[in-house]
Short mmCIF file of all heavy atoms in Angstrom, two decimals:
data_model
loop_
_atom_site.label_atom_id
_atom_site.label_comp_id
_atom_site.label_asym_id
_atom_site.label_seq_id
_atom_site.Cartn_x
_atom_site.Cartn_y
_atom_site.Cartn_z
N TYR R 205 3.98 10.57 -9.49
CA TYR R 205 3.53 10.56 -10.94
C TYR R 205 3.58 11.88 -11.57
O TYR R 205 4.02 12.03 -12.66
CB TYR R 205 2.04 10.04 -10.91
CG TYR R 205 1.56 10.08 -12.35
CD1 TYR R 205 1.99 9.16 -13.27
CD2 TYR R 205 0.59 10.95 -12.79
CE1 TYR R 205 1.41 9.22 -14.60
CE2 TYR R 205 0.01 10.98 -14.09
CZ TYR R 205 0.48 10.13 -14.95
OH TYR R 205 0.03 10.17 -16.24
N ASP R 206 3.34 12.99 -10.84
CA ASP R 206 3.33 14.23 -11.46
C ASP R 206 4.28 15.23 -10.88
O ASP R 206 4.00 16.46 -10.72
CB ASP R 206 1.88 14.82 -11.58
CG ASP R 206 1.26 14.95 -10.23
OD1 ASP R 206 1.99 14.58 -9.16
OD2 ASP R 206 0.10 15.53 -10.03
N LEU R 207 5.50 14.69 -10.39
CA LEU R 207 6.56 15.63 -9.90
C LEU R 207 7.10 16.30 -11.08
O LEU R 207 7.16 15.99 -12.22
CB LEU R 207 7.58 14.84 -9.21
CG LEU R 207 7.23 14.16 -7.92
CD1 LEU R 207 8.32 13.25 -7.46
CD2 LEU R 207 6.84 15.23 -6.93
N PRO R 208 7.62 17.67 -10.78
CA PRO R 208 8.23 18.42 -11.87
C PRO R 208 9.44 17.73 -12.46
O PRO R 208 10.12 16.98 -11.77
CB PRO R 208 8.57 19.66 -11.23
CG PRO R 208 8.34 19.58 -9.80
CD PRO R 208 7.51 18.28 -9.51
N VAL R 209 9.58 18.03 -13.75
CA VAL R 209 10.84 17.56 -14.48
C VAL R 209 11.56 18.61 -15.06
O VAL R 209 10.90 19.51 -15.73
CB VAL R 209 10.41 16.55 -15.48
CG1 VAL R 209 11.66 15.97 -16.30
CG2 VAL R 209 9.83 15.25 -14.98
N ILE R 210 12.84 18.63 -14.90
CA ILE R 210 13.73 19.83 -15.44
C ILE R 210 14.70 19.10 -16.42
O ILE R 210 15.42 18.38 -15.93
CB ILE R 210 14.40 20.59 -14.50
CG1 ILE R 210 13.40 21.37 -13.61
CG2 ILE R 210 15.40 21.54 -15.13
CD1 ILE R 210 13.96 22.13 -12.49
N VAL R 211 14.68 19.61 -17.64
CA VAL R 211 15.63 18.92 -18.60
C VAL R 211 16.55 20.21 -18.93
O VAL R 211 15.92 21.11 -19.49
CB VAL R 211 14.95 18.26 -19.83
CG1 VAL R 211 16.03 17.87 -20.84
CG2 VAL R 211 14.21 17.12 -19.45
N GLU R 212 17.87 20.16 -18.89
CA GLU R 212 18.75 21.27 -19.21
C GLU R 212 19.71 20.82 -20.30
O GLU R 212 20.11 19.69 -20.29
CB GLU R 212 19.47 21.75 -18.01
CG GLU R 212 18.64 22.34 -17.00
CD GLU R 212 19.50 22.93 -15.86
OE1 GLU R 212 20.73 22.86 -15.88
OE2 GLU R 212 18.93 23.45 -14.99
N ALA R 213 19.77 21.67 -21.20
CA ALA R 213 20.81 21.45 -22.33
C ALA R 213 21.60 22.68 -22.68
O ALA R 213 20.98 23.84 -22.54
CB ALA R 213 20.06 21.10 -23.65
N VAL R 214 22.72 22.57 -22.70
CA VAL R 214 23.70 23.79 -22.85
C VAL R 214 24.36 23.63 -24.24
O VAL R 214 25.08 22.60 -24.48
CB VAL R 214 24.79 23.97 -21.83
CG1 VAL R 214 25.71 25.23 -22.12
CG2 VAL R 214 24.09 24.10 -20.45
N ASP R 215 24.09 24.49 -25.15
CA ASP R 215 24.70 24.53 -26.51
C ASP R 215 24.73 25.82 -27.14
O ASP R 215 24.28 26.83 -26.48
CB ASP R 215 24.12 23.39 -27.46
CG ASP R 215 25.01 22.86 -28.40
OD1 ASP R 215 25.82 23.48 -28.91
OD2 ASP R 215 24.80 21.61 -28.65
N ARG R 216 25.19 25.91 -28.32
CA ARG R 216 25.10 27.29 -29.10
C ARG R 216 23.72 27.62 -29.38
O ARG R 216 22.85 26.69 -29.46
CB ARG R 216 25.96 27.09 -30.39
CG ARG R 216 27.40 27.02 -30.13
CD ARG R 216 28.21 26.97 -31.59
NE ARG R 216 29.48 26.64 -31.29
CZ ARG R 216 30.07 25.61 -31.73
NH1 ARG R 216 29.31 24.65 -32.24
NH2 ARG R 216 31.41 25.38 -31.41
N ALA R 217 23.48 28.95 -29.37
CA ALA R 217 22.07 29.38 -29.60
C ALA R 217 21.46 28.79 -30.89
O ALA R 217 20.28 28.51 -30.79
CB ALA R 217 22.07 30.87 -29.73
#
Side-chain angles (χ1 to χ4, degrees):
Y205 177 71
D206 58 354
L207 290 175
V209 174
I210 297 175
V211 177
E212 294 184 359
V214 178
D215 211 323
R216 294 187 185 106

